[in-house]
């Protein structure tokens, strides 16, 4: 979707046919990433069955196949994030059943360390950008962005949770409204959005500074408020 919007930005007029193709590409990118992730997860599940007596290689197989799913998705220009999520879900249900307790513990805690380290690096980078960049403030754009992001976050969270409560008959208990609120309120930090905004070409999009500033405001608002 990001690349589609970049392409549309370069056009003087966006024909209806191109809009339709953009929507189609969005679904192709999502489904393509999902398929690659599932295949990679299935591959790791098969490989872990062959490493029963080589416990030290099991975490390596898990991480390598997950990263491979991301690389393949980028190669075929589909969603790497969806691919990673799909691969992780398949690995959690199947590959983790084939590896030892020590390997599961290694994967669990090493992943937590990586996640924490990456989060620290991202927010350090955000802090540097916050104090060093030349910002372009637009009150209306900032307020509308905050309002719409928050509104749709709550709508999607409550909507999906209600659907799960309605149709997931295997659940031990329903998701409460207080839990829905915490899920909705606890997200929206926007670091991925900031990375995408920072990658914009200012020659193609002169308002890049405004997008970066607005994204920083969203990040700061959802972190501290």
């Amino acid at each position: 979707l990001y690349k589609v919007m970049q392409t549309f930005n370069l056009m003087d007029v966006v024909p209806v046919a191109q809009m339709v193709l953009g929507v189609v590409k969005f679904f192709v990118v999502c489904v393509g990433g999902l398929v690659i992730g599932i295949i990679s997860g299935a591959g790791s599940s098969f490989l872990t069955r062959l490493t029963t007596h080589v416990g030290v290689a099991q975490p390596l197989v898990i991480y390598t196949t997950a990263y491979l799913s991301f690389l393949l998705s980028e190669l075929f220009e589909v969603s790497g994030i969806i691919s990673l999520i799909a691969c992780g879900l398949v690995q959690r249900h199947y590959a983790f059943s084939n590896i030892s307790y020590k390997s599961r513990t290694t994967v669990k805690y090493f992943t937590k360390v990586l996640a924490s380290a990456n989060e620290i690096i991202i927010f350090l980078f955000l802090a540097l950008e916050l104090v060093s960049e030349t910002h372009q403030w637009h009150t209306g754009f900032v307020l509308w962005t905050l309002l719409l992001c928050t509104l749709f976050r709550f709508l999607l969270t409550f909507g999906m949770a209600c659907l799960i409560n309605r149709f997931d008959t295997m659940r031990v208990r329903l998701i409460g409204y207080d839990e829905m609120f915490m899920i909705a309120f606890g997200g929206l930090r926007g670091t991925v959005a900031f990375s995408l905004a920072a990658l914009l070409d200012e020659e193609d999009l002169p308002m890049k500074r405004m997008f970066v500033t607005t994204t920083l405001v969203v990040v700061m608002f959802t972190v501290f408020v």
Side-chain angles (χ1 to χ4, degrees):
L1 187 59
Y2 175 75
K3 292 181 180 179
V4 170
M5 293 298 107
Q6 281 186 312
T7 303
F8 285 171
N9 180 63
L10 298 176
M11 298 179 179
D12 295 328
V13 178
V14 182
V16 176
Q18 291 297 323
M19 294 182 186
V20 174
L21 288 175
V23 173
V24 171
K25 184 175 181 180
F26 172 75
F27 287 102
V28 170
V29 164
C30 292
V31 174
L34 183 66
V35 170
I36 291 176
I38 291 173
I39 293 174
S40 300
S44 68
S45 301
F46 173 75
L47 289 175
T48 49
R49 295 187 64 182
L50 305 177
T51 59
T52 306
H53 303 292
V54 193
V56 69
Q58 291 173 344
L60 184 62
V61 171
I62 296 293
Y63 285 114
T64 302
T65 51
Y67 188 53
L68 179 63
S69 72
F70 178 80
L71 292 180
L72 287 174
S73 298
E74 292 298 312
L75 178 65
F76 291 105
E77 296 187 351
V78 295
S79 177
I81 294 177
I82 293 178
S83 178
L84 275 176
I85 293 172
C87 181
L89 289 173
V90 174
Q91 287 179 336
R92 179 65 182 85
H93 284 281
Y94 298 103
F96 271 41
S97 301
N98 300 330
I99 63 179
S100 65
Y101 174 77
K102 288 184 178 180
S103 295
R104 286 197 297 271
T105 304
T106 301
V107 171
K108 176 182 177 180
Y109 287 104
F110 187 65
T111 302
K112 287 185 176 182
V113 170
L114 283 178
S116 299
N118 286 328
E119 191 171 46
I120 291 170
I121 293 171
I122 289 171
F123 278 97
L124 284 174
F125 180 69
L126 280 171
L128 291 173
E129 291 289 321
L130 186 63
V131 298
S132 64
E133 286 292 325
T134 303
H135 300 292
Q136 182 179 346
W137 180 267
H138 191 291
T139 304
F141 189 71
V142 170
L143 292 178
W144 274 109
T145 301
L146 285 173
L147 174 64
L148 292 176
C149 284
T150 305
L151 175 64
F152 281 100
R153 171 77 180 189
F154 275 84
L155 286 176
L156 289 172
T157 301
F158 276 74
M160 294 298 294
C162 289
L163 286 175
I164 292 172
N165 287 341
R166 175 67 178 83
F167 295 105
D168 188 0
T169 57
M170 302 297 292
R171 293 189 63 83
V172 177
R173 66 180 184 85
L174 300 179
I175 303 174
Y177 287 106
D178 54 340
E179 293 171 314
M180 296 181 195
F181 179 82
M182 289 301 298
I183 294 171
F185 191 73
L188 276 178
R189 284 187 281 187
T191 49
V192 175
F194 173 77
S195 301
L196 296 176
L199 289 173
L200 291 171
D201 189 346
E202 198 161 2
E203 293 184 1
D204 295 331
L205 188 66
M207 295 182 293
K208 174 186 175 179
R209 293 292 97 213
M210 185 180 71
F211 278 87
V212 173
T213 302
T214 303
T215 308
L216 283 171
V217 172
V218 172
V219 173
M220 295 299 110
F221 178 82
T222 53
V223 167
F224 295 108
V225 177

PDB file of all heavy atoms in Angstrom, residues 1 9 18 27 33 45 48 51-52 68 90-91 93 99 108 114 126 136 147 156 168-169 174 181 188 197 199 202 217:
ATOM      1  N   LEU A   1       0.830  -1.201   0.000  1.00  0.00           N
ATOM      2  CA  LEU A   1       0.000   0.000   0.000  1.00  0.00           C
ATOM      3  C   LEU A   1       0.870   1.258   0.000  1.00  0.00           C
ATOM      4  O   LEU A   1       0.550   2.246  -0.662  1.00  0.00           O
ATOM      5  CB  LEU A   1      -0.923  -0.017   1.216  1.00  0.00           C
ATOM      6  CG  LEU A   1      -1.985   1.080   1.284  1.00  0.00           C
ATOM      7  CD1 LEU A   1      -2.896   1.028   0.069  1.00  0.00           C
ATOM      8  CD2 LEU A   1      -2.784   0.979   2.561  1.00  0.00           C
ATOM      9  N   ASN A   9       1.305   9.248  -6.119  1.00  0.00           N
ATOM     10  CA  ASN A   9       1.782  10.610  -5.877  1.00  0.00           C
ATOM     11  C   ASN A   9       2.532  11.169  -7.080  1.00  0.00           C
ATOM     12  O   ASN A   9       2.555  12.391  -7.292  1.00  0.00           O
ATOM     13  CB  ASN A   9       2.689  10.617  -4.639  1.00  0.00           C
ATOM     14  CG  ASN A   9       3.233  11.994  -4.330  1.00  0.00           C
ATOM     15  OD1 ASN A   9       2.488  12.924  -4.037  1.00  0.00           O
ATOM     16  ND2 ASN A   9       4.550  12.145  -4.405  1.00  0.00           N
ATOM     17  N   GLN A  18      -6.470   2.652 -12.321  1.00  0.00           N
ATOM     18  CA  GLN A  18      -5.295   2.537 -11.459  1.00  0.00           C
ATOM     19  C   GLN A  18      -5.698   2.384  -9.993  1.00  0.00           C
ATOM     20  O   GLN A  18      -5.038   1.675  -9.226  1.00  0.00           O
ATOM     21  CB  GLN A  18      -4.400   3.765 -11.635  1.00  0.00           C
ATOM     22  CG  GLN A  18      -3.724   3.856 -12.988  1.00  0.00           C
ATOM     23  CD  GLN A  18      -2.763   2.707 -13.235  1.00  0.00           C
ATOM     24  OE1 GLN A  18      -2.073   2.249 -12.326  1.00  0.00           O
ATOM     25  NE2 GLN A  18      -2.722   2.225 -14.468  1.00  0.00           N
ATOM     26  N   PHE A  27      -4.627  -6.509  -1.852  1.00  0.00           N
ATOM     27  CA  PHE A  27      -5.024  -7.859  -1.458  1.00  0.00           C
ATOM     28  C   PHE A  27      -4.005  -8.897  -1.925  1.00  0.00           C
ATOM     29  O   PHE A  27      -3.740  -9.878  -1.217  1.00  0.00           O
ATOM     30  CB  PHE A  27      -6.415  -8.183  -2.014  1.00  0.00           C
ATOM     31  CG  PHE A  27      -7.527  -7.464  -1.306  1.00  0.00           C
ATOM     32  CD1 PHE A  27      -8.128  -6.351  -1.871  1.00  0.00           C
ATOM     33  CD2 PHE A  27      -7.956  -7.884  -0.059  1.00  0.00           C
ATOM     34  CE1 PHE A  27      -9.145  -5.683  -1.212  1.00  0.00           C
ATOM     35  CE2 PHE A  27      -8.978  -7.227   0.612  1.00  0.00           C
ATOM     36  CZ  PHE A  27      -9.572  -6.118   0.028  1.00  0.00           C
ATOM     37  N   GLY A  33       2.004 -12.435   1.011  1.00  0.00           N
ATOM     38  CA  GLY A  33       2.789 -12.528   2.240  1.00  0.00           C
ATOM     39  C   GLY A  33       2.313 -13.654   3.139  1.00  0.00           C
ATOM     40  O   GLY A  33       3.115 -14.366   3.749  1.00  0.00           O
ATOM     41  N   SER A  45       8.775 -26.357  10.249  1.00  0.00           N
ATOM     42  CA  SER A  45       8.190 -27.461  11.018  1.00  0.00           C
ATOM     43  C   SER A  45       8.749 -28.801  10.547  1.00  0.00           C
ATOM     44  O   SER A  45       9.011 -29.696  11.361  1.00  0.00           O
ATOM     45  CB  SER A  45       6.666 -27.447  10.869  1.00  0.00           C
ATOM     46  OG  SER A  45       6.127 -26.224  11.322  1.00  0.00           O
ATOM     47  N   THR A  48      12.576 -29.006  11.635  1.00  0.00           N
ATOM     48  CA  THR A  48      12.793 -29.255  13.061  1.00  0.00           C
ATOM     49  C   THR A  48      12.562 -30.722  13.425  1.00  0.00           C
ATOM     50  O   THR A  48      13.087 -31.198  14.438  1.00  0.00           O
ATOM     51  CB  THR A  48      11.866 -28.370  13.914  1.00  0.00           C
ATOM     52  OG1 THR A  48      10.513 -28.464  13.435  1.00  0.00           O
ATOM     53  CG2 THR A  48      12.315 -26.922  13.872  1.00  0.00           C
ATOM     54  N   THR A  51      15.893 -32.443  13.331  1.00  0.00           N
ATOM     55  CA  THR A  51      16.949 -31.971  14.242  1.00  0.00           C
ATOM     56  C   THR A  51      16.716 -32.446  15.671  1.00  0.00           C
ATOM     57  O   THR A  51      17.161 -31.792  16.619  1.00  0.00           O
ATOM     58  CB  THR A  51      17.012 -30.434  14.218  1.00  0.00           C
ATOM     59  OG1 THR A  51      15.732 -29.907  14.630  1.00  0.00           O
ATOM     60  CG2 THR A  51      17.348 -29.915  12.832  1.00  0.00           C
ATOM     61  N   THR A  52      16.043 -33.561  15.817  1.00  0.00           N
ATOM     62  CA  THR A  52      15.725 -34.067  17.155  1.00  0.00           C
ATOM     63  C   THR A  52      16.980 -34.304  17.987  1.00  0.00           C
ATOM     64  O   THR A  52      17.015 -34.028  19.191  1.00  0.00           O
ATOM     65  CB  THR A  52      14.927 -35.378  17.049  1.00  0.00           C
ATOM     66  OG1 THR A  52      13.789 -35.165  16.208  1.00  0.00           O
ATOM     67  CG2 THR A  52      14.461 -35.838  18.428  1.00  0.00           C
ATOM     68  N   LEU A  68      13.978 -15.921   6.387  1.00  0.00           N
ATOM     69  CA  LEU A  68      13.856 -16.281   4.977  1.00  0.00           C
ATOM     70  C   LEU A  68      12.480 -15.903   4.436  1.00  0.00           C
ATOM     71  O   LEU A  68      12.359 -15.446   3.288  1.00  0.00           O
ATOM     72  CB  LEU A  68      14.102 -17.779   4.796  1.00  0.00           C
ATOM     73  CG  LEU A  68      13.993 -18.317   3.361  1.00  0.00           C
ATOM     74  CD1 LEU A  68      15.059 -17.687   2.474  1.00  0.00           C
ATOM     75  CD2 LEU A  68      14.127 -19.835   3.351  1.00  0.00           C
ATOM     76  N   VAL A  90       2.515 -20.411  12.386  1.00  0.00           N
ATOM     77  CA  VAL A  90       2.694 -21.818  12.010  1.00  0.00           C
ATOM     78  C   VAL A  90       3.781 -22.463  12.866  1.00  0.00           C
ATOM     79  O   VAL A  90       3.632 -23.599  13.346  1.00  0.00           O
ATOM     80  CB  VAL A  90       3.034 -21.934  10.513  1.00  0.00           C
ATOM     81  CG1 VAL A  90       3.363 -23.381  10.144  1.00  0.00           C
ATOM     82  CG2 VAL A  90       1.871 -21.440   9.660  1.00  0.00           C
ATOM     83  N   GLN A  91       4.867 -21.743  13.072  1.00  0.00           N
ATOM     84  CA  GLN A  91       5.943 -22.283  13.905  1.00  0.00           C
ATOM     85  C   GLN A  91       5.469 -22.527  15.332  1.00  0.00           C
ATOM     86  O   GLN A  91       5.825 -23.539  15.949  1.00  0.00           O
ATOM     87  CB  GLN A  91       7.132 -21.315  13.905  1.00  0.00           C
ATOM     88  CG  GLN A  91       7.908 -21.287  12.610  1.00  0.00           C
ATOM     89  CD  GLN A  91       9.049 -20.294  12.653  1.00  0.00           C
ATOM     90  OE1 GLN A  91       9.021 -19.337  13.421  1.00  0.00           O
ATOM     91  NE2 GLN A  91      10.058 -20.503  11.823  1.00  0.00           N
ATOM     92  N   HIS A  93       2.549 -23.296  16.396  1.00  0.00           N
ATOM     93  CA  HIS A  93       1.629 -24.430  16.511  1.00  0.00           C
ATOM     94  C   HIS A  93       2.275 -25.762  16.148  1.00  0.00           C
ATOM     95  O   HIS A  93       1.857 -26.809  16.665  1.00  0.00           O
ATOM     96  CB  HIS A  93       0.408 -24.197  15.617  1.00  0.00           C
ATOM     97  CG  HIS A  93      -0.570 -23.213  16.188  1.00  0.00           C
ATOM     98  ND1 HIS A  93      -1.476 -23.540  17.167  1.00  0.00           N
ATOM     99  CD2 HIS A  93      -0.767 -21.897  15.932  1.00  0.00           C
ATOM    100  CE1 HIS A  93      -2.201 -22.483  17.481  1.00  0.00           C
ATOM    101  NE2 HIS A  93      -1.790 -21.469  16.744  1.00  0.00           N
ATOM    102  N   ILE A  99      10.665 -29.238  18.827  1.00  0.00           N
ATOM    103  CA  ILE A  99      11.951 -28.874  19.417  1.00  0.00           C
ATOM    104  C   ILE A  99      11.928 -29.123  20.922  1.00  0.00           C
ATOM    105  O   ILE A  99      10.867 -29.259  21.537  1.00  0.00           O
ATOM    106  CB  ILE A  99      12.312 -27.396  19.125  1.00  0.00           C
ATOM    107  CG1 ILE A  99      11.292 -26.445  19.759  1.00  0.00           C
ATOM    108  CG2 ILE A  99      12.383 -27.163  17.627  1.00  0.00           C
ATOM    109  CD1 ILE A  99      11.609 -24.976  19.539  1.00  0.00           C
ATOM    110  N   LYS A 108      12.433 -18.242  23.081  1.00  0.00           N
ATOM    111  CA  LYS A 108      11.556 -17.320  23.811  1.00  0.00           C
ATOM    112  C   LYS A 108      12.327 -16.122  24.355  1.00  0.00           C
ATOM    113  O   LYS A 108      11.964 -14.963  24.112  1.00  0.00           O
ATOM    114  CB  LYS A 108      10.864 -18.072  24.950  1.00  0.00           C
ATOM    115  CG  LYS A 108       9.993 -17.190  25.831  1.00  0.00           C
ATOM    116  CD  LYS A 108       9.372 -17.998  26.966  1.00  0.00           C
ATOM    117  CE  LYS A 108       8.558 -17.110  27.893  1.00  0.00           C
ATOM    118  NZ  LYS A 108       7.957 -17.891  29.012  1.00  0.00           N
ATOM    119  N   LEU A 114      15.941  -9.476  21.699  1.00  0.00           N
ATOM    120  CA  LEU A 114      15.984  -8.782  20.411  1.00  0.00           C
ATOM    121  C   LEU A 114      14.904  -7.709  20.321  1.00  0.00           C
ATOM    122  O   LEU A 114      15.156  -6.593  19.841  1.00  0.00           O
ATOM    123  CB  LEU A 114      15.801  -9.791  19.270  1.00  0.00           C
ATOM    124  CG  LEU A 114      17.001 -10.655  18.894  1.00  0.00           C
ATOM    125  CD1 LEU A 114      16.616 -11.617  17.779  1.00  0.00           C
ATOM    126  CD2 LEU A 114      18.181  -9.801  18.461  1.00  0.00           C
ATOM    127  N   LEU A 126      14.223   7.931  17.205  1.00  0.00           N
ATOM    128  CA  LEU A 126      13.113   8.883  17.232  1.00  0.00           C
ATOM    129  C   LEU A 126      13.478  10.140  18.023  1.00  0.00           C
ATOM    130  O   LEU A 126      13.152  11.260  17.614  1.00  0.00           O
ATOM    131  CB  LEU A 126      11.881   8.225  17.856  1.00  0.00           C
ATOM    132  CG  LEU A 126      11.056   7.304  16.963  1.00  0.00           C
ATOM    133  CD1 LEU A 126      10.007   6.576  17.788  1.00  0.00           C
ATOM    134  CD2 LEU A 126      10.389   8.081  15.856  1.00  0.00           C
ATOM    135  N   GLN A 136       7.832  20.763  10.239  1.00  0.00           N
ATOM    136  CA  GLN A 136       6.808  21.579   9.588  1.00  0.00           C
ATOM    137  C   GLN A 136       5.470  21.263  10.250  1.00  0.00           C
ATOM    138  O   GLN A 136       4.930  20.174  10.084  1.00  0.00           O
ATOM    139  CB  GLN A 136       6.756  21.283   8.086  1.00  0.00           C
ATOM    140  CG  GLN A 136       5.736  22.127   7.331  1.00  0.00           C
ATOM    141  CD  GLN A 136       5.722  21.819   5.847  1.00  0.00           C
ATOM    142  OE1 GLN A 136       6.633  21.167   5.338  1.00  0.00           O
ATOM    143  NE2 GLN A 136       4.697  22.276   5.150  1.00  0.00           N
ATOM    144  N   LEU A 147      -7.021  12.104  15.700  1.00  0.00           N
ATOM    145  CA  LEU A 147      -8.420  11.714  15.880  1.00  0.00           C
ATOM    146  C   LEU A 147      -8.752  10.448  15.101  1.00  0.00           C
ATOM    147  O   LEU A 147      -9.320   9.489  15.650  1.00  0.00           O
ATOM    148  CB  LEU A 147      -9.337  12.861  15.446  1.00  0.00           C
ATOM    149  CG  LEU A 147     -10.841  12.556  15.452  1.00  0.00           C
ATOM    150  CD1 LEU A 147     -11.319  12.271  16.870  1.00  0.00           C
ATOM    151  CD2 LEU A 147     -11.629  13.708  14.837  1.00  0.00           C
ATOM    152  N   LEU A 156     -11.711  -0.854  15.261  1.00  0.00           N
ATOM    153  CA  LEU A 156     -11.216  -2.155  14.813  1.00  0.00           C
ATOM    154  C   LEU A 156     -11.006  -3.107  15.981  1.00  0.00           C
ATOM    155  O   LEU A 156     -11.339  -4.297  15.897  1.00  0.00           O
ATOM    156  CB  LEU A 156      -9.909  -1.970  14.032  1.00  0.00           C
ATOM    157  CG  LEU A 156     -10.048  -1.331  12.650  1.00  0.00           C
ATOM    158  CD1 LEU A 156      -8.682  -1.030  12.053  1.00  0.00           C
ATOM    159  CD2 LEU A 156     -10.834  -2.238  11.712  1.00  0.00           C
ATOM    160  N   ASP A 168     -16.046 -17.491  18.111  1.00  0.00           N
ATOM    161  CA  ASP A 168     -15.063 -18.442  18.643  1.00  0.00           C
ATOM    162  C   ASP A 168     -15.693 -19.210  19.803  1.00  0.00           C
ATOM    163  O   ASP A 168     -15.647 -18.790  20.957  1.00  0.00           O
ATOM    164  CB  ASP A 168     -13.807 -17.702  19.101  1.00  0.00           C
ATOM    165  CG  ASP A 168     -12.686 -18.668  19.471  1.00  0.00           C
ATOM    166  OD1 ASP A 168     -12.899 -19.899  19.371  1.00  0.00           O
ATOM    167  OD2 ASP A 168     -11.596 -18.206  19.851  1.00  0.00           O
ATOM    168  N   THR A 169     -16.267 -20.349  19.481  1.00  0.00           N
ATOM    169  CA  THR A 169     -16.983 -21.141  20.487  1.00  0.00           C
ATOM    170  C   THR A 169     -16.045 -21.937  21.387  1.00  0.00           C
ATOM    171  O   THR A 169     -16.494 -22.518  22.376  1.00  0.00           O
ATOM    172  CB  THR A 169     -17.951 -22.110  19.793  1.00  0.00           C
ATOM    173  OG1 THR A 169     -17.213 -22.948  18.880  1.00  0.00           O
ATOM    174  CG2 THR A 169     -19.013 -21.342  19.016  1.00  0.00           C
ATOM    175  N   LEU A 174     -15.073 -14.929  27.489  1.00  0.00           N
ATOM    176  CA  LEU A 174     -15.155 -13.870  26.496  1.00  0.00           C
ATOM    177  C   LEU A 174     -14.166 -12.749  26.825  1.00  0.00           C
ATOM    178  O   LEU A 174     -13.749 -12.583  27.972  1.00  0.00           O
ATOM    179  CB  LEU A 174     -16.575 -13.305  26.448  1.00  0.00           C
ATOM    180  CG  LEU A 174     -17.693 -14.294  26.094  1.00  0.00           C
ATOM    181  CD1 LEU A 174     -19.041 -13.586  26.110  1.00  0.00           C
ATOM    182  CD2 LEU A 174     -17.445 -14.938  24.740  1.00  0.00           C
ATOM    183  N   PHE A 181     -10.592  -2.228  25.799  1.00  0.00           N
ATOM    184  CA  PHE A 181     -10.118  -0.849  25.953  1.00  0.00           C
ATOM    185  C   PHE A 181      -8.607  -0.811  26.144  1.00  0.00           C
ATOM    186  O   PHE A 181      -7.915   0.027  25.551  1.00  0.00           O
ATOM    187  CB  PHE A 181     -10.815  -0.186  27.144  1.00  0.00           C
ATOM    188  CG  PHE A 181     -10.363   1.228  27.384  1.00  0.00           C
ATOM    189  CD1 PHE A 181     -10.907   2.276  26.651  1.00  0.00           C
ATOM    190  CD2 PHE A 181      -9.388   1.506  28.329  1.00  0.00           C
ATOM    191  CE1 PHE A 181     -10.480   3.576  26.861  1.00  0.00           C
ATOM    192  CE2 PHE A 181      -8.954   2.803  28.544  1.00  0.00           C
ATOM    193  CZ  PHE A 181      -9.503   3.846  27.808  1.00  0.00           C
ATOM    194  N   LEU A 188      -0.648   1.884  18.980  1.00  0.00           N
ATOM    195  CA  LEU A 188      -0.531   3.121  18.197  1.00  0.00           C
ATOM    196  C   LEU A 188       0.724   3.934  18.490  1.00  0.00           C
ATOM    197  O   LEU A 188       0.666   5.147  18.577  1.00  0.00           O
ATOM    198  CB  LEU A 188      -1.760   4.016  18.438  1.00  0.00           C
ATOM    199  CG  LEU A 188      -2.997   3.717  17.606  1.00  0.00           C
ATOM    200  CD1 LEU A 188      -4.117   4.656  18.003  1.00  0.00           C
ATOM    201  CD2 LEU A 188      -2.708   3.871  16.133  1.00  0.00           C
ATOM    202  N   ALA A 197       7.645   7.299   6.771  1.00  0.00           N
ATOM    203  CA  ALA A 197       7.630   8.737   6.493  1.00  0.00           C
ATOM    204  C   ALA A 197       9.045   9.258   6.259  1.00  0.00           C
ATOM    205  O   ALA A 197       9.277  10.110   5.395  1.00  0.00           O
ATOM    206  CB  ALA A 197       6.973   9.487   7.647  1.00  0.00           C
ATOM    207  N   LEU A 199      11.442   7.677   4.961  1.00  0.00           N
ATOM    208  CA  LEU A 199      11.955   7.178   3.685  1.00  0.00           C
ATOM    209  C   LEU A 199      11.388   7.921   2.477  1.00  0.00           C
ATOM    210  O   LEU A 199      11.830   7.696   1.350  1.00  0.00           O
ATOM    211  CB  LEU A 199      11.634   5.680   3.544  1.00  0.00           C
ATOM    212  CG  LEU A 199      12.420   4.726   4.453  1.00  0.00           C
ATOM    213  CD1 LEU A 199      11.870   3.316   4.320  1.00  0.00           C
ATOM    214  CD2 LEU A 199      13.901   4.754   4.115  1.00  0.00           C
ATOM    215  N   GLU A 202      11.798  13.785  -0.628  1.00  0.00           N
ATOM    216  CA  GLU A 202      11.286  15.153  -0.515  1.00  0.00           C
ATOM    217  C   GLU A 202      11.107  15.816  -1.872  1.00  0.00           C
ATOM    218  O   GLU A 202      10.311  16.742  -2.015  1.00  0.00           O
ATOM    219  CB  GLU A 202      12.220  15.985   0.363  1.00  0.00           C
ATOM    220  CG  GLU A 202      11.573  17.246   0.897  1.00  0.00           C
ATOM    221  CD  GLU A 202      12.301  17.811   2.096  1.00  0.00           C
ATOM    222  OE1 GLU A 202      13.336  17.241   2.499  1.00  0.00           O
ATOM    223  OE2 GLU A 202      11.823  18.826   2.632  1.00  0.00           O
ATOM    224  N   VAL A 217       4.443  13.368  16.330  1.00  0.00           N
ATOM    225  CA  VAL A 217       3.422  13.777  17.304  1.00  0.00           C
ATOM    226  C   VAL A 217       2.559  12.579  17.696  1.00  0.00           C
ATOM    227  O   VAL A 217       2.244  12.382  18.879  1.00  0.00           O
ATOM    228  CB  VAL A 217       2.547  14.910  16.731  1.00  0.00           C
ATOM    229  CG1 VAL A 217       1.369  15.197  17.658  1.00  0.00           C
ATOM    230  CG2 VAL A 217       3.373  16.165  16.535  1.00  0.00           C
TER     231      VAL A 217
END
